[in-house]
Amino acid sequence: MKALVFPGQGSQFVGMGKELYDSRKDIKDLMEYANEILGFDILSLMFNGTDADLKKTEVTQPSIFIHSVAALKAINGLGAEMVAGHSLGEFSALVANGVLSFDDGLKLVSERAKAMQEACDANPSSMAAILGLEDAKVEEICAQISGIVVPANYNCPGQLVISGETSAVEEACVKLKEAGAKRALLLPVNGAFHSPLMQPAQEKLAAAIEKTKFRKATIPVYQNITTTAVINPEEIKQNLIAQLTGPVKWTQSVQNMIKDGASNFVEVGPGKTLQGLIKKIDASVDVASAI
């Protein structure tokens, strides 16, 4: 079975989407429509901006979403039987399985990005990548730290990202190294994504989601929070809202997709990050880029 997977924040690069834009008129029209929806020229930032421009959350997230949906249009779905997205990528996945329209998806992504940036600005917080330690040990040590620090991204076996108050993340990094982690690296982000510190953003996203039409899925989406196949639009809504303060269980989602028959994963969007993670989760499956 074929699965489409969609990347999240961090996969952006200067020039992203330009080849897609130049490849077909219908894709060009779709991408130009994004400028209208957002009310500013995001394509000029994608094609000709700087790394600093693209690292701004309110630019990064819509840019990756636009690129992913344009790439999806280029391959016409490839006859996929299931979809999943890493964090932000879940919105692209919901366009792929018919739950969201392009314009509704982009509006939600833009709202989400702005709300997350506001939450970041309100609290000094950060994230760190922990390499070479079992998930259970990371969970145990985070629970012992005073202050907010939680597992945020279960990316693949031996790679887990933690998130929370800067002082608590730094303390956890010291203790995790002492416990045997090969590396504990603070990430160049200015906020604690997928932690309780995103609660104000979650409330704003929930209000926007409740006003948006969600259709029944044509194929299942394996959501970050539940890790299992979902097609009911009300469930999908609640899982999207919960995702903002809860962990991205990518390892578990991919394992469940494979258990349910996925053997061929196609990454739709910028970069190849998810292909690398999936190979580390299960080396027996095929992985490829959509374009």
Side-chain angles (χ1 to χ4, degrees), residues 84-123:
H86 190 286
S87 187
L88 160 71
E90 204 161 87
F91 288 83
S92 310
L94 293 175
V95 174
N97 73 349
V99 170
L100 287 173
S101 65
F102 172 70
D103 47 343
D104 282 344
L106 182 54
K107 287 171 188 173
L108 286 178
V109 165
S110 180
E111 286 282 338
R112 178 183 190 264
K114 289 172 187 170
M116 288 172 77
Q117 188 61 57
E118 286 172 12
C120 291
D121 294 342
N123 286 294

PDB file of all heavy atoms in Angstrom, residues 84-123:
ATOM      1  N   ALA A  84      -0.322  10.927   6.208  1.00  0.00           N
ATOM      2  CA  ALA A  84       0.063  11.436   7.521  1.00  0.00           C
ATOM      3  C   ALA A  84       0.938  12.657   7.315  1.00  0.00           C
ATOM      4  O   ALA A  84       1.556  12.823   6.253  1.00  0.00           O
ATOM      5  CB  ALA A  84       0.819  10.379   8.334  1.00  0.00           C
ATOM      6  N   GLY A  85       0.999  13.522   8.326  1.00  0.00           N
ATOM      7  CA  GLY A  85       1.865  14.691   8.255  1.00  0.00           C
ATOM      8  C   GLY A  85       2.537  14.916   9.589  1.00  0.00           C
ATOM      9  O   GLY A  85       1.952  14.632  10.643  1.00  0.00           O
ATOM     10  N   HIS A  86       3.759  15.423   9.549  1.00  0.00           N
ATOM     11  CA  HIS A  86       4.516  15.685  10.769  1.00  0.00           C
ATOM     12  C   HIS A  86       4.182  17.095  11.254  1.00  0.00           C
ATOM     13  O   HIS A  86       4.564  18.083  10.627  1.00  0.00           O
ATOM     14  CB  HIS A  86       6.016  15.558  10.481  1.00  0.00           C
ATOM     15  CG  HIS A  86       6.888  15.576  11.709  1.00  0.00           C
ATOM     16  ND1 HIS A  86       7.129  16.727  12.429  1.00  0.00           N
ATOM     17  CD2 HIS A  86       7.565  14.591  12.340  1.00  0.00           C
ATOM     18  CE1 HIS A  86       7.935  16.439  13.447  1.00  0.00           C
ATOM     19  NE2 HIS A  86       8.204  15.152  13.421  1.00  0.00           N
ATOM     20  N   SER A  87       3.422  17.189  12.359  1.00  0.00           N
ATOM     21  CA  SER A  87       3.048  18.476  12.940  1.00  0.00           C
ATOM     22  C   SER A  87       2.292  19.330  11.917  1.00  0.00           C
ATOM     23  O   SER A  87       1.198  18.966  11.498  1.00  0.00           O
ATOM     24  CB  SER A  87       4.295  19.190  13.481  1.00  0.00           C
ATOM     25  OG  SER A  87       3.962  20.364  14.179  1.00  0.00           O
ATOM     26  N   LEU A  88       2.871  20.435  11.479  1.00  0.00           N
ATOM     27  CA  LEU A  88       2.273  21.276  10.435  1.00  0.00           C
ATOM     28  C   LEU A  88       1.820  20.443   9.238  1.00  0.00           C
ATOM     29  O   LEU A  88       0.784  20.719   8.617  1.00  0.00           O
ATOM     30  CB  LEU A  88       3.305  22.308   9.989  1.00  0.00           C
ATOM     31  CG  LEU A  88       3.094  22.971   8.626  1.00  0.00           C
ATOM     32  CD1 LEU A  88       1.917  23.920   8.677  1.00  0.00           C
ATOM     33  CD2 LEU A  88       4.350  23.696   8.187  1.00  0.00           C
ATOM     34  N   GLY A  89       2.585  19.415   8.883  1.00  0.00           N
ATOM     35  CA  GLY A  89       2.289  18.594   7.707  1.00  0.00           C
ATOM     36  C   GLY A  89       0.936  17.917   7.756  1.00  0.00           C
ATOM     37  O   GLY A  89       0.407  17.491   6.724  1.00  0.00           O
ATOM     38  N   GLU A  90       0.348  17.832   8.951  1.00  0.00           N
ATOM     39  CA  GLU A  90      -0.972  17.213   9.068  1.00  0.00           C
ATOM     40  C   GLU A  90      -2.028  18.011   8.304  1.00  0.00           C
ATOM     41  O   GLU A  90      -2.987  17.446   7.777  1.00  0.00           O
ATOM     42  CB  GLU A  90      -1.348  17.086  10.543  1.00  0.00           C
ATOM     43  CG  GLU A  90      -2.347  15.991  10.822  1.00  0.00           C
ATOM     44  CD  GLU A  90      -2.364  15.580  12.290  1.00  0.00           C
ATOM     45  OE1 GLU A  90      -3.100  16.216  13.070  1.00  0.00           O
ATOM     46  OE2 GLU A  90      -1.643  14.627  12.647  1.00  0.00           O
ATOM     47  N   PHE A  91      -1.854  19.320   8.193  1.00  0.00           N
ATOM     48  CA  PHE A  91      -2.800  20.145   7.433  1.00  0.00           C
ATOM     49  C   PHE A  91      -2.710  19.834   5.934  1.00  0.00           C
ATOM     50  O   PHE A  91      -3.725  19.766   5.249  1.00  0.00           O
ATOM     51  CB  PHE A  91      -2.544  21.632   7.699  1.00  0.00           C
ATOM     52  CG  PHE A  91      -2.962  22.067   9.079  1.00  0.00           C
ATOM     53  CD1 PHE A  91      -2.116  21.878  10.169  1.00  0.00           C
ATOM     54  CD2 PHE A  91      -4.204  22.638   9.308  1.00  0.00           C
ATOM     55  CE1 PHE A  91      -2.494  22.252  11.445  1.00  0.00           C
ATOM     56  CE2 PHE A  91      -4.597  23.017  10.587  1.00  0.00           C
ATOM     57  CZ  PHE A  91      -3.739  22.822  11.670  1.00  0.00           C
ATOM     58  N   SER A  92      -1.498  19.640   5.433  1.00  0.00           N
ATOM     59  CA  SER A  92      -1.312  19.253   4.021  1.00  0.00           C
ATOM     60  C   SER A  92      -1.933  17.883   3.781  1.00  0.00           C
ATOM     61  O   SER A  92      -2.585  17.655   2.747  1.00  0.00           O
ATOM     62  CB  SER A  92       0.173  19.208   3.668  1.00  0.00           C
ATOM     63  OG  SER A  92       0.844  20.384   4.056  1.00  0.00           O
ATOM     64  N   ALA A  93      -1.750  16.963   4.722  1.00  0.00           N
ATOM     65  CA  ALA A  93      -2.333  15.622   4.598  1.00  0.00           C
ATOM     66  C   ALA A  93      -3.848  15.686   4.510  1.00  0.00           C
ATOM     67  O   ALA A  93      -4.478  14.889   3.795  1.00  0.00           O
ATOM     68  CB  ALA A  93      -1.900  14.751   5.786  1.00  0.00           C
ATOM     69  N   LEU A  94      -4.451  16.656   5.215  1.00  0.00           N
ATOM     70  CA  LEU A  94      -5.910  16.774   5.214  1.00  0.00           C
ATOM     71  C   LEU A  94      -6.448  17.399   3.932  1.00  0.00           C
ATOM     72  O   LEU A  94      -7.633  17.247   3.619  1.00  0.00           O
ATOM     73  CB  LEU A  94      -6.370  17.571   6.437  1.00  0.00           C
ATOM     74  CG  LEU A  94      -6.135  16.868   7.784  1.00  0.00           C
ATOM     75  CD1 LEU A  94      -6.512  17.773   8.939  1.00  0.00           C
ATOM     76  CD2 LEU A  94      -6.880  15.546   7.860  1.00  0.00           C
ATOM     77  N   VAL A  95      -5.604  18.075   3.188  1.00  0.00           N
ATOM     78  CA  VAL A  95      -5.981  18.488   1.824  1.00  0.00           C
ATOM     79  C   VAL A  95      -5.909  17.269   0.910  1.00  0.00           C
ATOM     80  O   VAL A  95      -6.773  17.044   0.066  1.00  0.00           O
ATOM     81  CB  VAL A  95      -5.074  19.627   1.312  1.00  0.00           C
ATOM     82  CG1 VAL A  95      -5.381  19.948  -0.151  1.00  0.00           C
ATOM     83  CG2 VAL A  95      -5.243  20.878   2.168  1.00  0.00           C
ATOM     84  N   ALA A  96      -4.885  16.446   1.113  1.00  0.00           N
ATOM     85  CA  ALA A  96      -4.681  15.264   0.268  1.00  0.00           C
ATOM     86  C   ALA A  96      -5.835  14.276   0.378  1.00  0.00           C
ATOM     87  O   ALA A  96      -6.176  13.608  -0.611  1.00  0.00           O
ATOM     88  CB  ALA A  96      -3.366  14.576   0.635  1.00  0.00           C
ATOM     89  N   ASN A  97      -6.438  14.165   1.568  1.00  0.00           N
ATOM     90  CA  ASN A  97      -7.534  13.188   1.700  1.00  0.00           C
ATOM     91  C   ASN A  97      -8.916  13.843   1.690  1.00  0.00           C
ATOM     92  O   ASN A  97      -9.910  13.227   2.086  1.00  0.00           O
ATOM     93  CB  ASN A  97      -7.344  12.312   2.948  1.00  0.00           C
ATOM     94  CG  ASN A  97      -7.606  13.033   4.256  1.00  0.00           C
ATOM     95  OD1 ASN A  97      -7.738  14.259   4.292  1.00  0.00           O
ATOM     96  ND2 ASN A  97      -7.667  12.281   5.343  1.00  0.00           N
ATOM     97  N   GLY A  98      -8.979  15.097   1.220  1.00  0.00           N
ATOM     98  CA  GLY A  98     -10.254  15.742   0.951  1.00  0.00           C
ATOM     99  C   GLY A  98     -10.965  16.359   2.137  1.00  0.00           C
ATOM    100  O   GLY A  98     -12.076  16.876   2.007  1.00  0.00           O
ATOM    101  N   VAL A  99     -10.340  16.338   3.319  1.00  0.00           N
ATOM    102  CA  VAL A  99     -10.996  16.886   4.510  1.00  0.00           C
ATOM    103  C   VAL A  99     -11.030  18.411   4.459  1.00  0.00           C
ATOM    104  O   VAL A  99     -12.029  19.033   4.834  1.00  0.00           O
ATOM    105  CB  VAL A  99     -10.278  16.391   5.790  1.00  0.00           C
ATOM    106  CG1 VAL A  99     -10.787  17.127   7.025  1.00  0.00           C
ATOM    107  CG2 VAL A  99     -10.479  14.890   5.955  1.00  0.00           C
ATOM    108  N   LEU A 100      -9.935  19.026   3.993  1.00  0.00           N
ATOM    109  CA  LEU A 100      -9.837  20.486   3.897  1.00  0.00           C
ATOM    110  C   LEU A 100      -9.627  20.923   2.457  1.00  0.00           C
ATOM    111  O   LEU A 100      -8.920  20.251   1.697  1.00  0.00           O
ATOM    112  CB  LEU A 100      -8.660  20.994   4.732  1.00  0.00           C
ATOM    113  CG  LEU A 100      -8.793  20.979   6.255  1.00  0.00           C
ATOM    114  CD1 LEU A 100      -7.465  21.363   6.899  1.00  0.00           C
ATOM    115  CD2 LEU A 100      -9.900  21.916   6.730  1.00  0.00           C
ATOM    116  N   SER A 101     -10.204  22.059   2.098  1.00  0.00           N
ATOM    117  CA  SER A 101      -9.871  22.695   0.818  1.00  0.00           C
ATOM    118  C   SER A 101      -8.527  23.406   0.963  1.00  0.00           C
ATOM    119  O   SER A 101      -8.062  23.651   2.083  1.00  0.00           O
ATOM    120  CB  SER A 101     -10.952  23.708   0.434  1.00  0.00           C
ATOM    121  OG  SER A 101     -10.973  24.780   1.381  1.00  0.00           O
ATOM    122  N   PHE A 102      -7.921  23.741  -0.172  1.00  0.00           N
ATOM    123  CA  PHE A 102      -6.636  24.442  -0.136  1.00  0.00           C
ATOM    124  C   PHE A 102      -6.760  25.765   0.606  1.00  0.00           C
ATOM    125  O   PHE A 102      -5.944  26.081   1.480  1.00  0.00           O
ATOM    126  CB  PHE A 102      -6.128  24.695  -1.557  1.00  0.00           C
ATOM    127  CG  PHE A 102      -4.914  25.585  -1.619  1.00  0.00           C
ATOM    128  CD1 PHE A 102      -3.686  25.147  -1.158  1.00  0.00           C
ATOM    129  CD2 PHE A 102      -5.012  26.883  -2.123  1.00  0.00           C
ATOM    130  CE1 PHE A 102      -2.563  25.963  -1.207  1.00  0.00           C
ATOM    131  CE2 PHE A 102      -3.901  27.708  -2.181  1.00  0.00           C
ATOM    132  CZ  PHE A 102      -2.671  27.243  -1.720  1.00  0.00           C
ATOM    133  N   ASP A 103      -7.798  26.541   0.299  1.00  0.00           N
ATOM    134  CA  ASP A 103      -7.894  27.865   0.918  1.00  0.00           C
ATOM    135  C   ASP A 103      -8.218  27.773   2.410  1.00  0.00           C
ATOM    136  O   ASP A 103      -7.630  28.504   3.219  1.00  0.00           O
ATOM    137  CB  ASP A 103      -8.887  28.786   0.181  1.00  0.00           C
ATOM    138  CG  ASP A 103     -10.209  28.156  -0.132  1.00  0.00           C
ATOM    139  OD1 ASP A 103     -10.311  26.914  -0.087  1.00  0.00           O
ATOM    140  OD2 ASP A 103     -11.157  28.897  -0.437  1.00  0.00           O
ATOM    141  N   ASP A 104      -9.091  26.844   2.798  1.00  0.00           N
ATOM    142  CA  ASP A 104      -9.366  26.683   4.236  1.00  0.00           C
ATOM    143  C   ASP A 104      -8.128  26.197   4.974  1.00  0.00           C
ATOM    144  O   ASP A 104      -7.830  26.662   6.088  1.00  0.00           O
ATOM    145  CB  ASP A 104     -10.513  25.694   4.455  1.00  0.00           C
ATOM    146  CG  ASP A 104     -11.881  26.317   4.203  1.00  0.00           C
ATOM    147  OD1 ASP A 104     -11.965  27.561   4.167  1.00  0.00           O
ATOM    148  OD2 ASP A 104     -12.860  25.564   4.030  1.00  0.00           O
ATOM    149  N   GLY A 105      -7.403  25.251   4.361  1.00  0.00           N
ATOM    150  CA  GLY A 105      -6.173  24.746   4.979  1.00  0.00           C
ATOM    151  C   GLY A 105      -5.147  25.842   5.167  1.00  0.00           C
ATOM    152  O   GLY A 105      -4.537  25.958   6.238  1.00  0.00           O
ATOM    153  N   LEU A 106      -4.968  26.680   4.152  1.00  0.00           N
ATOM    154  CA  LEU A 106      -3.979  27.753   4.230  1.00  0.00           C
ATOM    155  C   LEU A 106      -4.375  28.794   5.274  1.00  0.00           C
ATOM    156  O   LEU A 106      -3.524  29.284   6.028  1.00  0.00           O
ATOM    157  CB  LEU A 106      -3.800  28.404   2.856  1.00  0.00           C
ATOM    158  CG  LEU A 106      -2.754  29.518   2.765  1.00  0.00           C
ATOM    159  CD1 LEU A 106      -1.393  29.056   3.274  1.00  0.00           C
ATOM    160  CD2 LEU A 106      -2.636  30.034   1.329  1.00  0.00           C
ATOM    161  N   LYS A 107      -5.665  29.114   5.348  1.00  0.00           N
ATOM    162  CA  LYS A 107      -6.121  30.068   6.368  1.00  0.00           C
ATOM    163  C   LYS A 107      -5.852  29.531   7.776  1.00  0.00           C
ATOM    164  O   LYS A 107      -5.406  30.269   8.659  1.00  0.00           O
ATOM    165  CB  LYS A 107      -7.618  30.352   6.193  1.00  0.00           C
ATOM    166  CG  LYS A 107      -7.944  31.228   4.979  1.00  0.00           C
ATOM    167  CD  LYS A 107      -9.444  31.288   4.752  1.00  0.00           C
ATOM    168  CE  LYS A 107      -9.781  31.996   3.446  1.00  0.00           C
ATOM    169  NZ  LYS A 107     -11.225  31.903   3.138  1.00  0.00           N
ATOM    170  N   LEU A 108      -6.121  28.247   7.990  1.00  0.00           N
ATOM    171  CA  LEU A 108      -5.870  27.643   9.299  1.00  0.00           C
ATOM    172  C   LEU A 108      -4.377  27.607   9.631  1.00  0.00           C
ATOM    173  O   LEU A 108      -3.979  27.899  10.765  1.00  0.00           O
ATOM    174  CB  LEU A 108      -6.446  26.218   9.361  1.00  0.00           C
ATOM    175  CG  LEU A 108      -7.960  26.097   9.470  1.00  0.00           C
ATOM    176  CD1 LEU A 108      -8.366  24.623   9.478  1.00  0.00           C
ATOM    177  CD2 LEU A 108      -8.482  26.791  10.725  1.00  0.00           C
ATOM    178  N   VAL A 109      -3.565  27.261   8.640  1.00  0.00           N
ATOM    179  CA  VAL A 109      -2.113  27.234   8.856  1.00  0.00           C
ATOM    180  C   VAL A 109      -1.600  28.626   9.217  1.00  0.00           C
ATOM    181  O   VAL A 109      -0.767  28.784  10.118  1.00  0.00           O
ATOM    182  CB  VAL A 109      -1.389  26.685   7.607  1.00  0.00           C
ATOM    183  CG1 VAL A 109       0.106  26.970   7.654  1.00  0.00           C
ATOM    184  CG2 VAL A 109      -1.627  25.185   7.478  1.00  0.00           C
ATOM    185  N   SER A 110      -2.113  29.638   8.532  1.00  0.00           N
ATOM    186  CA  SER A 110      -1.694  31.012   8.823  1.00  0.00           C
ATOM    187  C   SER A 110      -2.112  31.425  10.236  1.00  0.00           C
ATOM    188  O   SER A 110      -1.330  32.016  10.987  1.00  0.00           O
ATOM    189  CB  SER A 110      -2.296  31.971   7.789  1.00  0.00           C
ATOM    190  OG  SER A 110      -1.906  33.297   8.053  1.00  0.00           O
ATOM    191  N   GLU A 111      -3.351  31.107  10.606  1.00  0.00           N
ATOM    192  CA  GLU A 111      -3.831  31.400  11.973  1.00  0.00           C
ATOM    193  C   GLU A 111      -2.968  30.674  13.003  1.00  0.00           C
ATOM    194  O   GLU A 111      -2.596  31.250  14.041  1.00  0.00           O
ATOM    195  CB  GLU A 111      -5.286  30.944  12.115  1.00  0.00           C
ATOM    196  CG  GLU A 111      -6.302  31.825  11.416  1.00  0.00           C
ATOM    197  CD  GLU A 111      -6.610  33.095  12.186  1.00  0.00           C
ATOM    198  OE1 GLU A 111      -6.386  33.126  13.412  1.00  0.00           O
ATOM    199  OE2 GLU A 111      -7.046  34.071  11.553  1.00  0.00           O
ATOM    200  N   ARG A 112      -2.685  29.408  12.738  1.00  0.00           N
ATOM    201  CA  ARG A 112      -1.878  28.594  13.652  1.00  0.00           C
ATOM    202  C   ARG A 112      -0.494  29.199  13.830  1.00  0.00           C
ATOM    203  O   ARG A 112       0.012  29.315  14.952  1.00  0.00           O
ATOM    204  CB  ARG A 112      -1.781  27.180  13.068  1.00  0.00           C
ATOM    205  CG  ARG A 112      -0.933  26.173  13.854  1.00  0.00           C
ATOM    206  CD  ARG A 112      -0.908  24.855  13.069  1.00  0.00           C
ATOM    207  NE  ARG A 112      -0.323  23.741  13.809  1.00  0.00           N
ATOM    208  CZ  ARG A 112       0.928  23.347  13.718  1.00  0.00           C
ATOM    209  NH1 ARG A 112       1.768  24.014  12.934  1.00  0.00           N
ATOM    210  NH2 ARG A 112       1.367  22.298  14.395  1.00  0.00           N
ATOM    211  N   ALA A 113       0.122  29.593  12.732  1.00  0.00           N
ATOM    212  CA  ALA A 113       1.474  30.148  12.787  1.00  0.00           C
ATOM    213  C   ALA A 113       1.514  31.446  13.602  1.00  0.00           C
ATOM    214  O   ALA A 113       2.402  31.635  14.436  1.00  0.00           O
ATOM    215  CB  ALA A 113       1.991  30.393  11.370  1.00  0.00           C
ATOM    216  N   LYS A 114       0.557  32.325  13.347  1.00  0.00           N
ATOM    217  CA  LYS A 114       0.517  33.598  14.091  1.00  0.00           C
ATOM    218  C   LYS A 114       0.292  33.356  15.582  1.00  0.00           C
ATOM    219  O   LYS A 114       0.937  33.973  16.438  1.00  0.00           O
ATOM    220  CB  LYS A 114      -0.601  34.491  13.537  1.00  0.00           C
ATOM    221  CG  LYS A 114      -0.317  35.070  12.154  1.00  0.00           C
ATOM    222  CD  LYS A 114      -1.549  35.780  11.612  1.00  0.00           C
ATOM    223  CE  LYS A 114      -1.361  36.212  10.169  1.00  0.00           C
ATOM    224  NZ  LYS A 114      -2.629  36.692   9.570  1.00  0.00           N
ATOM    225  N   ALA A 115      -0.624  32.452  15.891  1.00  0.00           N
ATOM    226  CA  ALA A 115      -0.924  32.165  17.296  1.00  0.00           C
ATOM    227  C   ALA A 115       0.271  31.533  17.996  1.00  0.00           C
ATOM    228  O   ALA A 115       0.569  31.841  19.156  1.00  0.00           O
ATOM    229  CB  ALA A 115      -2.146  31.242  17.377  1.00  0.00           C
ATOM    230  N   MET A 116       0.979  30.645  17.296  1.00  0.00           N
ATOM    231  CA  MET A 116       2.162  30.015  17.875  1.00  0.00           C
ATOM    232  C   MET A 116       3.267  31.038  18.111  1.00  0.00           C
ATOM    233  O   MET A 116       3.946  31.013  19.136  1.00  0.00           O
ATOM    234  CB  MET A 116       2.657  28.885  16.967  1.00  0.00           C
ATOM    235  CG  MET A 116       1.752  27.662  16.979  1.00  0.00           C
ATOM    236  SD  MET A 116       2.192  26.400  15.758  1.00  0.00           S
ATOM    237  CE  MET A 116       3.610  25.637  16.544  1.00  0.00           C
ATOM    238  N   GLN A 117       3.436  31.971  17.172  1.00  0.00           N
ATOM    239  CA  GLN A 117       4.456  33.001  17.338  1.00  0.00           C
ATOM    240  C   GLN A 117       4.145  33.888  18.538  1.00  0.00           C
ATOM    241  O   GLN A 117       5.038  34.228  19.322  1.00  0.00           O
ATOM    242  CB  GLN A 117       4.567  33.849  16.062  1.00  0.00           C
ATOM    243  CG  GLN A 117       5.737  34.823  16.070  1.00  0.00           C
ATOM    244  CD  GLN A 117       7.082  34.125  16.192  1.00  0.00           C
ATOM    245  OE1 GLN A 117       7.415  33.290  15.376  1.00  0.00           O
ATOM    246  NE2 GLN A 117       7.850  34.451  17.225  1.00  0.00           N
ATOM    247  N   GLU A 118       2.879  34.239  18.698  1.00  0.00           N
ATOM    248  CA  GLU A 118       2.478  35.049  19.859  1.00  0.00           C
ATOM    249  C   GLU A 118       2.760  34.310  21.168  1.00  0.00           C
ATOM    250  O   GLU A 118       3.241  34.904  22.146  1.00  0.00           O
ATOM    251  CB  GLU A 118       0.987  35.389  19.763  1.00  0.00           C
ATOM    252  CG  GLU A 118       0.664  36.448  18.712  1.00  0.00           C
ATOM    253  CD  GLU A 118      -0.828  36.626  18.511  1.00  0.00           C
ATOM    254  OE1 GLU A 118      -1.617  36.099  19.343  1.00  0.00           O
ATOM    255  OE2 GLU A 118      -1.227  37.273  17.523  1.00  0.00           O
ATOM    256  N   ALA A 119       2.475  33.004  21.184  1.00  0.00           N
ATOM    257  CA  ALA A 119       2.733  32.214  22.390  1.00  0.00           C
ATOM    258  C   ALA A 119       4.236  32.121  22.676  1.00  0.00           C
ATOM    259  O   ALA A 119       4.659  32.176  23.835  1.00  0.00           O
ATOM    260  CB  ALA A 119       2.138  30.813  22.232  1.00  0.00           C
ATOM    261  N   CYS A 120       5.022  32.019  21.613  1.00  0.00           N
ATOM    262  CA  CYS A 120       6.486  31.996  21.765  1.00  0.00           C
ATOM    263  C   CYS A 120       6.987  33.309  22.354  1.00  0.00           C
ATOM    264  O   CYS A 120       7.844  33.317  23.249  1.00  0.00           O
ATOM    265  CB  CYS A 120       7.161  31.777  20.407  1.00  0.00           C
ATOM    266  SG  CYS A 120       6.911  30.154  19.704  1.00  0.00           S
ATOM    267  N   ASP A 121       6.459  34.415  21.854  1.00  0.00           N
ATOM    268  CA  ASP A 121       6.896  35.738  22.304  1.00  0.00           C
ATOM    269  C   ASP A 121       6.538  35.973  23.774  1.00  0.00           C
ATOM    270  O   ASP A 121       7.218  36.731  24.468  1.00  0.00           O
ATOM    271  CB  ASP A 121       6.266  36.830  21.438  1.00  0.00           C
ATOM    272  CG  ASP A 121       6.766  36.799  19.993  1.00  0.00           C
ATOM    273  OD1 ASP A 121       7.821  36.171  19.745  1.00  0.00           O
ATOM    274  OD2 ASP A 121       6.095  37.376  19.118  1.00  0.00           O
ATOM    275  N   ALA A 122       5.468  35.334  24.224  1.00  0.00           N
ATOM    276  CA  ALA A 122       4.979  35.561  25.591  1.00  0.00           C
ATOM    277  C   ALA A 122       5.783  34.810  26.648  1.00  0.00           C
ATOM    278  O   ALA A 122       5.773  35.180  27.817  1.00  0.00           O
ATOM    279  CB  ALA A 122       3.509  35.158  25.682  1.00  0.00           C
ATOM    280  N   ASN A 123       6.469  33.738  26.260  1.00  0.00           N
ATOM    281  CA  ASN A 123       7.198  32.912  27.234  1.00  0.00           C
ATOM    282  C   ASN A 123       8.592  32.576  26.722  1.00  0.00           C
ATOM    283  O   ASN A 123       8.735  32.088  25.605  1.00  0.00           O
ATOM    284  CB  ASN A 123       6.459  31.580  27.470  1.00  0.00           C
ATOM    285  CG  ASN A 123       5.223  31.745  28.302  1.00  0.00           C
ATOM    286  OD1 ASN A 123       5.299  32.081  29.465  1.00  0.00           O
ATOM    287  ND2 ASN A 123       4.072  31.496  27.696  1.00  0.00           N
TER     288      ASN A 123
END
